[in-house]
Amino acid sequence: MVDFGSTLKKLRLQENLTQQELANRLGVTKSVVSYYELQERYPSPEILTKLASVFHVTTDYLLGLEQTEAVDLAGLDEEDIITVKRLISSLRAKNKQKQ
């Protein structure tokens, strides 16, 4: 579990969640979330799955086995998906020009 704690903290902060808010979503205490972020404890498979669901990432991403963060398109209609893909392409082109 390479750098699991840092990944978890990064995702939590990106979602503007406190440790207590995340703990409530997971059904654990705030101190358990703190232990995860400090890498003093690791989540059970059940909690790992809940974390992936909360942050819309894969468990492999959380565990550091996958380096790319996926974008969850669930719940979007076809037009929205096309718009998201165009935005991603536009941002990649912009960043490529900066290099």
Side-chain angles (χ1 to χ4, degrees):
M1 291 192 209
V2 176
D3 218 11
F4 171 79
S6 297
T7 301
L8 177 59
K9 185 173 183 176
K10 179 189 81 159
L11 291 169
R12 180 178 62 77
L13 294 175
Q14 284 176 349
E15 293 293 320
N16 295 312
L17 292 173
T18 64
Q19 287 182 340
Q20 184 62 59
E21 290 168 331
L22 179 57
N24 292 344
R25 288 189 185 188
L26 299 174
V28 299
T29 64
K30 176 186 174 284
S31 61
V32 168
V33 172
S34 177
Y35 289 138
Y36 292 161
E37 290 183 1
L38 295 171
Q39 295 186 170
E40 293 178 8
R41 281 193 191 171
Y42 292 100
S44 67
E46 179 185 353
I47 296 296
L48 187 64
T49 302
K50 284 183 181 181
L51 285 166
S53 178
V54 165
F55 296 119
H56 305 287
V57 297
T58 64
T59 54
D60 282 353
Y61 179 78
L62 285 170
L63 296 173
L65 301 173
E66 184 178 284
Q67 298 303 312
T68 57
E69 188 173 348
V71 176
D72 183 3
L73 301 176
L76 299 180
D77 63 25
E78 190 63 32
E79 186 177 324
D80 293 339
I81 291 171
I82 290 169
T83 301
V84 169
K85 288 180 178 181
R86 285 182 181 153
L87 176 59
I88 290 169
S89 293
S90 175
L91 291 171
R92 282 188 181 130
K94 179 190 82 157
N95 290 331
K96 195 172 191 178
Q97 288 174 354
K98 287 181 180 179
Q99 295 174 352

